[in-house]
Amino acid sequence: MSLLALGTMAGISQTHAQTISSVPQQKQVPGYYQYSLGDYQITALLDGTNYLSKALFKNIPEAEVNQILKKYYVDQAKGIQTSVNAFLVNTGKELILVDSGASSCNGPNFGSIYSNLQASGQKPEQVNTILLTHLHPDHVCGISNNGTANFPNATVYVSQAELDFWMNPKTVEKLPKAKQAGFLATVDKIKKAIAPYQAKNQLKTFKVGDKIHNFDVVSSAGHTPGHFGFSLKSQGQEMVFIGDIVHSHTLQFDRPQTAVDFDVDPKQAVETRLKYFAEYAKSGQTVAAPHLPFPGIGHIYSLDNKSYQWIPVHFKD
C-alpha cells in the first residue's frame, strides 16, 4: 500500500475518532411507561434515580452484600442505584396518582414526575385524587412546589396513623438524639408539601378497612408506623401498589430479612416484607413499587419461600 493511501486512511481514522469523542451526552426519553390492568391504564412515572450506600442495609454481612451485587452485575462505584417512581391510574372517569416523587426535597437527581406526567399526555389539573403510601419526602414532596399545589384539583389521602406520627411534636422526643435533627427536617418538608391542600380542605385521612374510590387500603406498617399499600382490581386482574416494603431488587429479594436504615421499625418492616412477599409470590398479583427499577411494575417469584426474585413486566406496545 502506498504512503499516500496510508496517510489517507490515517486521516479518516483520526477524523472518525474526533467525531465519536465529540458526541455530547444525550438525555433519556421522558420517563413514563403505560400498562393495562383490565379496564384501567396505569402509567408509571419516573421521578429520578439515586444511589444508596451499602452501609444502609442492615443484618447482612458485607461479603454477602458484595456477592449478591456481583451476581446482579450491579456497578457499585457510586453505591446501589434506586429509582423513585409514582403511578398514575386512569379509570376512564378520573386520574388517580399513587405517590408523587421527591420534587426538589431529595436533591437534583429528582423532580421529574410533574414533567413526565405531562409528557405522557395528561395535565396536572386533571388529577382528581392522590394516594400516599406514607409521608417520606420522596413520596409527598411532589404534590406541591414552593407553597403552590402541583395538582390543584386533587384530594390527597394519607393514613391517619401516618399523619399522627409525623405531626405529633412528642414523637421526636422518643428518638435517639442522633436522629432528631433529621426527623425534624423531614417534618418540615412534609408540612410544606401538604400545606396548600390543608388550606383548601383537600387533605383527607383513611384507616384500616377503608376503601378509597376503587382502591382497597393494605396495612403494611414498619417502614413507617402508618405505611399503607393500595390494591386495585379490574376484570379479574389485581395490582398492588406496595410502597416502601422493599428498596432493593437485589439485596432484599435474595435476603428479605435485610432491613434498611430509614425503616422506623426495622423488625416490623422485615415482618411486613416477609408476609407480603410470600403472599404475592403465591397469588401472583402484579406489583407496582416506587423503588424498584423503572417502571417498577412486575411480579414476585419464589422457588423455596425463603429467597425471592423480581420479575419485571415485559415491554408491550
Side-chain angles (χ1 to χ4, degrees):
M1 186 179 292
S2 68
L3 291 176
L4 177 61
L6 285 172
T8 301
M9 289 182 67
I12 291 172
S13 298
Q14 184 176 11
T15 301
H16 181 68
Q18 289 173 347
T19 302
I20 295 299
S21 65
S22 65
V23 173
Q25 180 66 42
Q26 300 294 318
K27 289 185 177 181
Q28 293 285 10
V29 296
Y32 69 89
Y33 177 80
Q34 294 173 330
Y35 179 87
S36 294
L37 181 82
D39 295 329
Y40 304 143
Q41 182 188 67
I42 315 296
T43 302
L45 301 168
L46 178 65
D47 196 49
T49 59
N50 201 12
Y51 296 89
L52 301 178
S53 167
K54 291 186 290 185
L56 292 173
F57 293 89
K58 307 299 182 181
N59 310 321
I60 181 170
E62 184 177 1
E64 188 171 354
V65 170
N66 294 336
Q67 183 181 26
I68 292 171
L69 295 178
K70 183 178 180 181
K71 181 179 75 171
Y72 285 98
Y73 291 89
V74 173
D75 181 2
Q76 302 178 48
K78 296 181 181 179
I80 302 171
Q81 189 179 47
T82 184
S83 293
V84 173
N85 311 313
F87 303 93
L88 185 70
V89 180
N90 186 343
T91 69
K93 297 179 180 179
E94 58 185 342
L95 293 179
I96 300 168
L97 183 64
V98 182
D99 286 327
S100 69
S103 187
S104 59
C105 282
N106 284 28
N109 292 337
F110 302 109
S112 297
I113 292 292
Y114 192 77
S115 59
N116 283 330
L117 183 145
Q118 293 176 92
S120 75
Q122 306 295 349
K123 297 179 180 179
E125 58 268 25
Q126 294 175 312
V127 176
N128 311 97
T129 301
I130 300 173
L131 306 179
L132 298 177
T133 58
H134 62 299
L135 287 175
H136 274 157
D138 55 331
H139 296 259
V140 67
C141 279
I143 67 175
S144 63
N145 183 36
N146 293 325
T148 301
N150 281 337
F151 306 96
N153 299 316
T155 299
V156 177
Y157 290 85
V158 65
S159 78
Q160 185 65 57
E162 186 74 356
L163 202 61
D164 289 345
F165 174 75
W166 293 104
M167 296 299 107
N168 186 346
K170 294 185 178 180
T171 300
V172 68
E173 299 171 6
K174 302 175 184 179
L175 299 175
K177 286 190 176 182
K179 291 195 172 185
Q180 290 183 1
F183 178 87
L184 292 174
T186 296
V187 169
D188 184 59
K189 292 176 181 179
I190 293 169
K191 287 181 176 179
K192 289 179 180 177
I194 65 177
Y197 298 89
Q198 285 181 310
K200 294 185 177 181
N201 198 31
Q202 291 173 228
L203 181 70
K204 306 292 184 182
T205 60
F206 62 83
K207 60 186 184 302
V208 175
D210 285 353
K211 194 180 186 79
I212 307 170
H213 298 259
N214 293 324
F215 290 80
D216 292 309
V217 300
V218 181
S219 180
S220 48
H223 179 61
T224 62
H227 186 284
F228 273 77
F230 305 100
S231 171
L232 180 66
K233 297 177 182 177
S234 179
Q235 298 292 331
Q237 301 177 46
E238 181 181 6
M239 176 176 283
V240 184
F241 302 84
I242 63 172
D244 283 12
I245 69 170
V246 63
H247 288 79
S248 169
H249 74 290
T250 57
L251 298 180
Q252 290 180 309
F253 275 81
D254 274 36
R255 279 287 303 273
Q257 301 86 356
T258 302
V260 70
D261 186 67
F262 18 82
D263 289 334
V264 173
D265 185 335
K267 182 180 178 181
Q268 188 179 26
V270 168
E271 291 172 353
T272 293
R273 180 164 46 257
L274 292 172
K275 173 186 175 181
Y276 287 116
F277 270 24
E279 177 180 328
Y280 301 149
K282 180 180 180 181
S283 302
Q285 295 97 323
T286 304
V287 165
H291 295 308
L292 299 186
F294 182 77
I297 300 174
H299 295 87
I300 295 174
Y301 171 80
S302 180
L303 184 64
D304 56 9
N305 294 322
K306 295 180 181 178
S307 63
Y308 295 84
Q309 284 181 270
W310 172 242
I311 312 295
V313 293
H314 292 226
F315 180 87
K316 294 180 181 179
D317 288 334

